[in-house]
Amino acid sequence: SAQGYEDGVHSVAAPILGADGHAIGALSVASPLSRVDDIVAAAQGRAVMAAAREIAARLTGEPPAAR
């Protein structure tokens, strides 16, 4: 989100899901809005989603691809 809670800050987030598919946490990244364009925002989104899947896999013992 661009400036969702704080002026001049861009953030992306993804849920960390438990084995039952319910959120057990979240991961977010915040950046100065001046350093983020659409390409950077999309890359950050992909990275945060991949990291959240990896964390979930480690917590549940399931392979990341299964999520």
Side-chain angles (χ1 to χ4, degrees):
S1 88
Q3 303 187 83
Y5 291 105
E6 183 88 24
D7 284 342
V9 176
H10 175 270
S11 59
V12 294
I16 298 169
L17 303 176
D20 61 1
H22 290 95
I24 58 172
L27 179 65
S28 66
V29 172
S31 305
L33 189 58
S34 62
R35 295 186 182 186
V36 178
D37 59 19
D38 289 343
I39 293 169
V40 171
Q44 288 178 336
R46 287 189 300 273
V48 168
M49 288 188 301
R53 282 192 299 270
E54 178 66 26
I55 292 167
R58 289 176 183 236
L59 290 173
T60 63
E62 297 179 16
R67 307 209 135 260

